[in-house]
Amino acid sequence: MKNLKQVIAAGLVGTALSAEAQVNHELNVMNQLATPSHVSVMPVSQLLNAPGNEALRAFFFTPVKDKTVLKGKKIAVLAADGFEEIELTGPVWYFRELGAQVDIIAPKFNPAPARYGLSTPEMAKTHIMAIQYLQPVGWIKFDRTADQIKVSDYDAVFIPGGAWNPDNLRYDKDVIKFIQDFNKSGKLIAAICHAPVVLASADILKGRKLTGYWNIQIDLKNAGGIVSDQPVVVDSNIITSRHPIDVADFSKAVESWLAKK
């Protein structure tokens, strides 16, 4: 007959084995829930040096001669986490080279509920995350939030693409209201890649000519837009474009529109 110590010891071993089995079970489940990390990146240098992008490369590496073309103009860049890096940094660099004041405007910080299990870095309160074709690559500081701006503050609004960025913007009531009011003013609204879906959410595309990333062109048609597959489409106060490879044409179209005002 086992004594008390043997019974207790046996119980402890059983508990240890049970805990180990639970840990193994949880690890097994976690391995099935997670996917292996295989990162695909698009360095800016690789984009500019890719065959067929000679004009894009020249756009960035040819010094701007007249740095006063947009002097006195104020441009608001509406962006959130998940913006396509070159679609924000490229035009912003160019507009500033031309003398414009460019402010990066983000939605007011709104952390996800705790039950979502997301870990948000402290810098998310002052910065937004850049991506390169769905791969997070860096952060950029924003100047103001969408609830702090008004139409009279700016001459133009520019929205970069990125698959996540427009989804984050189109859900923000301050962003949508600002775009609607900006459109009523007749001032310039420019959007590239996936960004035109934000204009669809603002319900300002009915009967308007535009373009956008190939995957969203059907959404733009459903919103009442007249869609064509061109690098840039200008229709009154709305300028739209398709893709990072169109950044040069897009930026020049914005320059041309603002320079005439």
Side-chain angles (χ1 to χ4, degrees):
M1 187 176 220
K2 294 181 180 179
N3 59 34
L4 181 59
K5 288 183 178 180
Q6 288 176 318
V7 171
I8 293 174
L12 290 174
V13 171
T15 301
L17 289 175
S18 176
E20 181 181 355
Q22 179 63 27
V23 169
N24 288 336
H25 169 70
E26 292 178 5
L27 287 174
N28 181 50
V29 172
M30 289 295 293
N31 286 333
Q32 294 184 60
L33 295 178
T35 57
S37 176
H38 297 287
V39 178
S40 175
V41 296
M42 182 204 74
V44 172
S45 59
Q46 186 170 312
L47 175 68
L48 298 184
N49 291 319
N53 288 347
E54 291 78 13
L56 184 63
R57 176 184 172 86
F59 169 74
F60 285 111
F61 292 153
T62 302
V64 172
K65 294 181 180 180
D66 186 352
K67 298 197 175 188
T68 64
V69 174
L70 296 183
K71 186 176 181 179
K73 301 295 184 182
K74 297 181 179 180
I75 303 173
V77 181
L78 292 177
D81 287 335
F83 69 89
E84 188 67 47
E85 185 181 54
I86 193 67
E87 291 176 355
L88 183 150
T89 59
V92 165
W93 167 83
Y94 187 63
F95 301 149
R96 286 175 174 166
E97 282 289 293
L98 295 174
Q101 175 186 320
V102 183
D103 292 343
I104 298 174
I105 313 298
K108 186 177 180 180
F109 180 67
N110 183 25
R115 65 175 299 190
Y116 284 15
L118 298 177
S119 177
T120 304
E122 184 66 22
M123 69 186 307
K125 297 178 181 178
T126 55
H127 293 66
I128 49 176
M129 181 184 68
I131 64 168
Q132 293 174 350
Y133 286 105
L134 301 181
Q135 176 63 40
V137 292
W139 296 79
I140 193 168
K141 193 175 188 303
F142 56 82
D143 300 294
R144 303 170 72 184
T145 53
D147 61 318
Q148 298 174 328
I149 59 175
K150 55 185 183 294
V151 173
S152 60
D153 292 337
Y154 297 100
D155 301 291
V157 169
F158 156 50
I159 312 175
W164 306 336
N165 172 52
D167 258 5
N168 287 325
L169 290 175
R170 70 193 305 189
Y171 186 69
D172 188 272
K173 60 178 177 40
D174 294 318
V175 168
I176 295 302
K177 180 66 164 54
F178 182 75
I179 291 173
Q180 290 171 336
D181 292 344
F182 214 82
N183 184 57
K184 291 175 184 176
S185 75
K187 295 181 179 181
L188 178 62
I189 299 174
I192 187 171
C193 198
H194 286 75
V197 298
V198 183
L199 310 187
S201 292
D203 195 25
I204 64 171
L205 295 183
K206 290 183 177 65
R208 306 302 295 270
K209 297 177 182 178
L210 73 159
T211 190
Y213 192 71
W214 298 280
N215 292 0
I216 68 163
Q217 289 185 8
I218 186 63
D219 301 291
L220 303 181
K221 291 177 182 177
N222 290 339
I226 303 169
V227 181
S228 59
D229 187 20
Q230 300 179 48
V232 179
V233 173
V234 181
D235 183 350
S236 185
N237 69 316
I238 294 181
I239 296 177
T240 49
S241 194
R242 306 172 305 183
H243 192 275
I245 61 175
D246 299 322
V247 162
D249 293 332
F250 173 75
S251 300
K252 290 176 182 177
V254 172
E255 173 195 359
S256 178
W257 198 100
L258 286 174
K260 294 176 181 177
K261 297 295 180 180

